[in-house]
Structures are given as structure tokens and as C-alpha cells.
Amino acid sequence: MNRWGSALIRFGDLSRPQELLGQMAVDAVYTPAERLRSSAGRTLQHWAGRLAGKYAVLRLLDMPPTAELLGQVEVLPRPTPACRKSTACLDGHPPAVQLSGSLRARARSGERIRISLSHTDGHALAVAVSAARLPEDD
């Protein structure tokens, strides 16, 4: 397993999430929670950011970017401890990665995969790193 992975997704001239995926199905690549979160008034950059995160995680894990494996990487905002104390949180939430299926066993024991996402008007960039778990991870 690598210690980091990165990915860049171009979306500037696209208009629909399916166009990001080529022949892969949206339902196979994005989890139900991701589809709900990305479709709730969001722009294509949210779909592209999640996809870049998924690709970066697969590169970190030395796995090929198949629809099945992309679908086993879930990228969603993770509320901070301060946010959990209030139902009216206005802070942005850092992205978090959740692995399922065969990918769960690929992550190193005692480590957590962290990602950083960034967008421009036409590109989404993600960097994934594997690092020791922190107390706030539990």
C-alpha cells in the first residue's frame, strides 16, 4: 500500500454526473448517501470532488479504479466534535472516507485514511494519506 494517492478530475465542460464516469454507472460508483448528498442542490463540482477522492483512495491502496471498487469508497463530510453539540452547525465539514467490502481489509490496522479535496471552476483535486488514528477518530 502506498502512503498517499492523488487524483485530478476535469469537469469544466461537463453538465451531468454520468459524464464524469464514462461507461460506469452512477449507482455503482456513488453510494446512496453520496448520491443524496451530492444531488441536494449541489453543483457538478461536488460530484467531481467525491470522485477525485475515490480515485485518490484507490491509488493509495494500489487498487484499480473499477466501478465496484470506487463504490466501496464513500466520501462524505464528517461533522466535527463542536458541530455534534449543535443542530444548527454553520461550519464546513472536512471530508471523511469510509471503506466497505474488500477494501476494508486493505487499510492498515491502527491507521485511518484522510483526504483533502479542492476545487477550481473546472477541476477537482484530491489527496489521500494513510496516517495513525487520532483520539478524535473514535
Side-chain angles (χ1 to χ4, degrees):
M1 179 167 82
N2 291 323
R3 299 295 294 162
W4 67 278
S6 64
L8 179 71
I9 301 292
R10 183 184 56 79
F11 65 90
D13 58 343
L14 306 178
S15 59
R16 297 179 303 118
Q18 181 60 56
E19 294 174 290
L20 296 168
L21 305 175
Q23 299 300 314
M24 296 183 283
V26 170
D27 291 355
V29 173
Y30 295 99
T31 67
E34 288 172 323
R35 292 191 308 270
L36 179 66
R37 179 77 182 184
S38 290
S39 65
R42 307 281 192 225
T43 64
L44 190 59
Q45 79 175 3
H46 291 87
W47 294 90
R50 279 191 174 70
L51 185 60
K54 290 168 173 279
Y55 274 103
V57 169
L58 290 182
R59 288 182 179 144
L60 166 78
L61 298 173
D62 291 323
M63 299 296 289
T66 65
E68 177 186 3
L69 293 176
L70 288 165
Q72 292 178 25
V73 179
E74 186 173 69
V75 177
L76 290 172
R78 180 176 185 201
T80 62
C83 179
R84 291 188 193 121
K85 297 175 184 171
S86 169
T87 58
C89 179
L90 299 176
D91 294 334
H93 303 293
V97 173
Q98 194 77 283
L99 300 178
S100 63
S102 62
L103 290 184
R104 186 175 291 157
R106 302 266 316 167
R108 290 183 179 168
S109 178
E111 292 192 355
R112 181 174 190 91
I113 295 174
R114 293 172 171 24
I115 63 169
S116 178
L117 304 177
S118 184
H119 306 89
T120 66
D121 59 349
H123 293 85
L125 172 69
V127 176
V129 297
S130 181
R133 294 183 70 82
L134 300 171
E136 60 266 25
D137 289 336
D138 297 323

